[in-house]
Amino acid sequence: MSDVRHVLVLPDRDAAEEAAQALGERFRLDEEPQLVRDALAGEDDAEDAQWLLVLRDADGRLDAGQLDEFAGEWDGWREEP
C-alpha cells in the first residue's frame, strides 16, 4: 500500500465544494477529499485564493486522466506530483 495523493486545483470555494461532493459520487471514494484554501502569494483577499481538493489514493485506483477531465469541468486542473 502506498501513500498516493492527487491534488485538484479549483478556482473558488463554491466550485471546490461542488466538486468534492461530485467526486465521491463519481469515483466512489473511501474517504472525503480534504478541502484546502491556497492563497496566492502575497494576496490576503479571499477572492485571490484557489481551493485544493486533496484525494488519498492508497490503492492507486484513480485514473489521472479521468481526474484531469473531472477538474476541467469546474475550470480547474490536477497538479502533477
Side-chain angles (χ1 to χ4, degrees), residues 22-29 61-63 66-67 70:
L23 269 169
E25 295 167 4
R26 187 176 304 179
F27 294 99
R28 305 257 190 248
L29 301 177
R61 65 180 184 85
L62 296 174
D63 179 74
Q66 289 179 341
L67 290 173
F70 178 85

Side-chain angles (χ1 to χ4, degrees), residues 1 6 11 13 16 20 22 24-27 36 40 43 45 48 50-52 59 62 64 71-73:
M1 191 183 288
H6 299 280
R13 184 179 188 136
E25 295 167 4
R26 187 176 304 179
F27 294 99
V36 178
L40 299 176
E43 299 293 337
D45 188 353
D48 293 324
Q50 295 173 331
W51 288 81
L52 310 177
D59 298 331
L62 296 174
E73 293 174 21

Side-chain angles (χ1 to χ4, degrees), residues 6-36:
H6 299 280
V7 177
L8 305 183
V9 181
L10 298 155
D12 58 49
R13 184 179 188 136
D14 290 340
E17 289 175 344
E18 289 175 25
Q21 182 176 358
L23 269 169
E25 295 167 4
R26 187 176 304 179
F27 294 99
R28 305 257 190 248
L29 301 177
D30 294 333
E31 60 186 68
E32 290 283 319
Q34 182 182 5
L35 184 64
V36 178

